[in-house]
Amino acid sequence: MPLIAGVDCSTQSTKVVVRDAATGALAREGRADHPPGTEVHPEVWWRALEAATRGGLLDGVAAIAVGGQQHGMIALDERGEVVRPAILWNDTRSAEAAEALVRELGGPGAWAEAVGTVPVASITVTKLRWLREHEPERAGRVAAVALPHDWVTWMLAGGPGGAGGAGGAGDGTGTGGTRWPATDRGDASGTGYWSPAGGTYRTDLVELALGRQVELPRVLGPSEAAGTSAATPVAPAGALLGPGTGDNMAAALGVGAVEGDVVVSIGTSGTVFAVHPRPTADPTGAVAGFADATGRFLPLVCTLNAARVLEAAARLVGTGLDGVDQLALQASPGAGGLVLLPYLEGERTPNRPGASGVLAGIRDGNATPANLARAAVEGMLCGLADGLDALRAVGVGCERILLVGGAARSRAVRELAPAILGAPVTVPPPGEYVADGAARQAAWMVEGGPEPPAWPAAERLRTFEADPQPRVRARYAELREAAPELAR
C-alpha cells in the first residue's frame, strides 16, 4: 500500500510522520526544533522541515499534507517574497488593533455574525491592522497574505513561481505571474476574514484592517489537492500535496474526534474544541466559530497559558515536571487555599492581553511547594473548564472528553482533570496528533471517498474519574472576577 506523510509545523517544532495510507501504521518519523519567540521568518520552518526529513524520510511517499499553527501572518510581496518575519498567534502586540476593529464594525456581535469569531490579538486580521499602523512601508509592499501551513505547502510545491503550486484567489496567478499559496477552510476560518457559515472571504474586512485588497489563498476542499511536490531537499517531485489545515483541525482528525466528542488539548496553548454539524457565532467572543478539516465545524476556546504554567511552577519550586506531579498530588484539593490565575503571557480567554499572573490566598500555613504545584495544575485546568462551559453555552454537546497534548502525560493533570472539568476524561496514548491528522488527510486524497479513512482506533485508551470539585472552580472564578485590575 502507498505511504503518505503528515507534517506538524507547530510553534515549537516541526514533526513529520510517514504512515501506511490504508492502515495508518507508522513507517518512520522525524523532528526538528524551532527557536522560541512570537515572530519568526518562515524560512526557519523550511530549514526545520529539511532537518526533520534528512536522509530521504519522504522518499516514496504518494502524498504529503501539512498541519500548521493557526493565525500567523505571512505577508508576501508581488514576487512572493516574505515582507517581514511572520507574526505568530501568541504575539499580543495587536491587542489595541483588535479592540479598534471590533468597534469599527459595530461590536462583537457584528463580528460573530460576519465570521463566527470576535477578533483578539491572536487573530490574523488584527495583525494586518497592526502592520498598517506601525510598519506602513512594509504594509504598502504586501501583495498577498498567507498562513503558516499555506506557506510550507507552497514551498513543497516549489515556492514563488513553482510549477507544482496551486492557484491564487483570483485567476491563479498574482502580480507578475507569481502563483500564490492555497489554504483550506479550517485554517482560513481562523483569519477573521473568512466566513465558515458563508464559505467565503469577507474581503471588506481585509480592507477594513489593511486599507486595501490583497491576494488571498484559494480555499480548497477537504480532500482537494493543492498541487504536487517539486524536487527539493525535503521531498522528491510528484507527491500529491494536501490542502493542509490548522493545527487544531488536524488534531481533531488525528485523534479521531467525532460529533459528541470534546477535545481538551494542553500544549503551549490550551484548547477546548468539538466537531459540530453547524456553524456557531458567540457574541461574547469566548468561542471561536471555526470550520474543521472535513466540511463540518470546530467551535473552539483557546487559552494562551497551558503547559507553560506547569513549567513555571517547576522553576518556582526548584524541581522538574515530574516533581510538580509528585508535589501536586501530595496536596489536598484547593491547594490549602492558594488560587492561581495563570495569565503568565497575557490571556486570550478571557481577553486580557496585557495580564500577568495572580497568586492569591497565601498564608503562613499554606505556603508550601506542594500547594503551589497543586494551585498551578488546578488554575490551568480551571481555565480549560471555563472553555468547556463556553462550548456548552453555544449548544455544543459533550458526550466524551478526550485529553491530549504534551501536558496530558502529566499524572497530576490526568488525575485532577475529571475533578475540575466535572466529568470523566479519556486519555489516548501519547502521539503526534497534528502530524497524524495531516497524514490522515493525505491518505484521504490517495484513498478517495466522502470521509477520511477510518484507521484503527488507538488501543490503550484510559479513562480517569474523580469526584467533582466545584469549590475549587468557584474560588478560581471569584479571583478571576475580583482581580481584573491585577490581571488585565
Side-chain angles (χ1 to χ4, degrees):
M1 296 302 294
L3 294 175
I4 45 80
V7 177
D8 172 12
C9 180
S10 73
T11 313
Q12 296 178 323
S13 63
T14 289
K15 289 156 278 192
V16 185
V17 298
V18 176
R19 294 187 174 274
D20 182 278
T23 67
L26 181 66
R28 46 189 187 259
E29 58 188 329
R31 175 191 172 107
D33 290 335
H34 298 167
T38 63
E39 71 170 37
V40 63
H41 197 287
E43 284 290 342
V44 168
W45 304 327
W46 185 250
R47 291 196 296 271
L49 185 56
E50 288 182 341
T53 57
R54 190 170 293 135
L57 188 83
L58 297 185
D59 286 355
V61 300
I64 308 165
V66 180
Q69 52 185 295
Q70 289 186 251
H71 314 308
M73 181 193 74
I74 303 176
L76 303 171
D77 67 16
E78 62 181 15
R79 297 175 301 171
E81 300 297 330
V82 175
V83 170
R84 70 163 338 274
I87 302 177
L88 305 185
W89 64 272
N90 54 348
D91 192 303
T92 60
R93 74 183 76 178
S94 60
E96 291 183 3
E99 293 176 359
L101 287 169
V102 170
R103 184 172 59 251
E104 290 166 17
L105 193 65
W111 278 95
E113 182 179 354
V115 292
T117 298
V118 181
V120 292
S122 60
I123 302 297
T124 317
V125 71
T126 71
K127 304 176 193 307
L128 293 177
R129 170 60 69 84
W130 182 91
L131 186 68
R132 174 187 175 187
E133 292 180 341
H134 294 271
E135 297 180 354
E137 187 277 330
R138 283 173 162 169
R141 292 164 49 204
V142 176
V145 179
L147 298 166
H149 108 258
D150 311 344
W151 188 87
V152 174
T153 303
W154 190 45
M155 291 296 290
L156 284 166
D171 63 2
T173 60
T175 306
T178 301
R179 288 183 176 272
W180 303 117
T183 194
D184 88 302
R185 61 194 296 276
D187 217 1
S189 68
T191 60
Y193 45 79
W194 189 84
S195 168
T200 58
Y201 279 115
R202 287 290 303 264
T203 55
D204 58 315
L205 301 180
V206 176
E207 188 163 355
L208 181 66
L210 192 60
R212 58 189 176 84
Q213 298 297 324
V214 293
E215 290 281 349
L216 301 172
R218 181 163 62 95
V219 180
L220 303 174
S223 60
E224 182 180 356
T228 56
S229 62
T232 67
V234 170
L240 286 172
L241 296 175
T245 194
D247 53 1
N248 292 295
M249 297 78 192
L253 273 179
V255 78
V258 297
E259 291 181 25
D261 287 341
V262 172
V263 179
V264 178
S265 178
I266 312 177
T268 304
S269 63
T271 52
V272 184
F273 55 87
V275 177
H276 198 57
R278 298 175 298 279
T280 58
D282 178 12
T284 73
V287 179
F290 296 153
D292 83 340
T294 71
R296 298 175 180 84
F297 301 89
L298 199 83
L300 178 146
V301 178
C302 178
T303 65
L304 287 184
N305 300 281
R308 75 176 87 224
V309 178
L310 307 184
E311 294 165 358
R315 292 193 300 272
L316 285 172
V317 300
T319 186
L321 291 175
D322 288 344
V324 169
D325 268 8
Q326 295 171 13
L327 288 167
L329 292 171
Q330 291 171 13
S332 301
L338 287 187
V339 184
L340 177 67
L341 285 183
Y343 303 162
L344 306 186
E345 297 291 338
E347 189 47 79
R348 172 170 165 176
T349 307
N351 184 25
R352 297 178 183 176
S356 56
V358 177
L359 181 65
I362 304 174
R363 297 180 182 275
D364 181 64
N366 65 12
T368 67
N371 282 330
L372 179 58
R374 180 90 181 202
V377 178
E378 289 180 343
M380 179 191 71
L381 289 171
C382 281
L384 295 168
D386 287 349
L388 183 59
D389 288 347
L391 286 185
R392 289 176 171 139
V394 297
V396 176
C398 178
E399 298 175 14
R400 181 176 66 158
I401 298 174
L402 294 167
L403 185 66
V404 301
R409 302 178 187 186
S410 158
R411 180 185 165 201
V413 169
R414 294 195 302 265
E415 295 191 10
L416 272 59
I420 303 301
L421 299 177
V425 299
T426 297
V427 183
E432 299 296 349
Y433 289 113
V434 175
D436 288 345
R440 193 171 171 217
Q441 185 190 75
W444 192 3
M445 290 195 304
V446 171
E447 298 286 295
E451 295 288 339
W455 287 345
E459 299 179 357
R460 298 187 294 114
L461 293 175
R462 296 185 62 190
T463 298
F464 292 82
E465 300 185 43
D467 292 334
Q469 295 291 337
R471 180 57 185 154
V472 173
R473 287 201 61 197
R475 294 182 66 251
Y476 176 89
E478 289 168 4
L479 178 60
R480 183 192 63 221
E481 298 309 316
E485 68 279 3
L486 298 177
R488 141 179 354 258

